[in-house]
Amino acid sequence: NAGVTQTPKFQVLKTGQSMTLQCAQDMNHNSMYWYRQDPGMGLRLIYYSASEGTTDKGEVPNGYNVSRLNKREFSLRLESAAPSQTSVYFCASSDGTSREAKNIQYFGAGTRLSVL
Amino acid sequence: GENVEQHPSTLSVQEGDSAVIKCTYSDSASNYFPWYKQELGKRPQLIIDIRSNVGEKKDQRIAVTLNKTAKHFSLHITETQPEDSAVYFCRFSGGYNKLIFGAGTRLAVHP
């Protein structure tokens, strides 16, 4: 039981390049999330997927796209990377089965992305 | 829109002192209030949580209190130890499954 797995762990991109961050969970969770964390800052929600087949914008969605490929996997794509997207990206999942659910989130180890 | 404010942004205490971090939210529909701890270079992890029908919950040296009328909830750490040094985040629900974190409090516990 690996929990939430993110790949890659580190990535350096040039401005304008594209890439996809992968996230997979093996806890049979319904909900998945992508956050970014800038140095010394909090976690800002980029996109989330409340259940398989749905995705919604979070606080800072501009410049990103997501795909909920299946229940296990939720990917984040940067189509044209910009230096402002340099950050640590965390994927998380939770068992958001109802409005009363605790939604305890389990986080991946993070992807450290630098855009030059 | 939905919003959560977390204070203070940094907190420095001597080992053995108490620490209190407070979050104020704007949406009265929230009914679950967790706190996460993030050690340097690591992922956030849940340390304690509370439901809206409870005013206080304790787990050894940490406790969470909730005031729904005033729309704030607080994390209390007693007898602080150096290993409590970390960044602490409150979390808020800005809508169904739209889970938003406070800006974080960097706690430093000095021996």
Side-chain angles (χ1 to χ4, degrees), chain B residues 37-83:
Chain B
K37 175 183 181 182
Q38 185 180 28
E39 296 177 352
L40 188 63
K42 296 191 176 180
R43 71 194 80 185
Q45 291 190 302
L46 178 73
I47 55 170
I48 196 167
D49 56 15
I50 193 169
R51 283 207 179 274
S52 59
N53 57 349
V54 176
E56 181 178 6
K57 181 178 178 181
K58 287 184 178 180
D59 182 3
Q60 299 182 335
R61 295 186 298 105
I62 61 172
V64 54
T65 58
L66 171 65
N67 184 326
K68 281 215 82 176
T69 303
K71 296 183 183 177
H72 63 73
F73 57 111
S74 299
L75 176 69
H76 304 256
I77 306 174
T78 59
E79 301 173 30
T80 53
Q81 300 170 4
E83 53 264 38

Side-chain angles (χ1 to χ4, degrees), chain A residues 4 31 33 35 37 40-43 45 48 50 57-59 90 96-105 107-109, chain B residues 31-32 34 36 38 41-46 49 51 57 87 89 91 93 95-104 106:
Chain A
V4 180
S31 303
Y33 312 82
Y35 293 89
Q37 186 173 36
M41 303 281 286
L43 297 152
L45 181 63
Y48 66 105
K57 293 179 180 179
E59 302 171 274
F90 286 100
T97 53
S98 72
R99 291 186 181 275
E100 293 302 310
K102 279 192 169 186
N103 273 324
I104 296 174
Q105 288 172 298
F107 284 82
Chain B
N31 58 11
Y32 171 65
Y36 283 73
Q38 185 180 28
K42 296 191 176 180
R43 71 194 80 185
Q45 291 190 302
L46 178 73
D49 56 15
R51 283 207 179 274
K57 181 178 178 181
V87 181
F89 295 98
R91 198 193 74 187
S93 177
Y96 182 51
N97 279 304
K98 187 176 183 180
L99 305 179
I100 298 171
F101 285 85
R106 186 173 300 276

Side-chain angles (χ1 to χ4, degrees), chain A residues 1 12 24 29 37 40 52-53 56 65 69 78 80 82 87 93 96 100 102-103:
Chain A
N1 189 338
V12 178
H29 282 167
Q37 186 173 36
E52 185 180 357
D56 287 284
N65 284 301
L69 304 169
L78 287 71
S80 179
S87 192
S93 72
E100 293 302 310
K102 279 192 169 186
N103 273 324

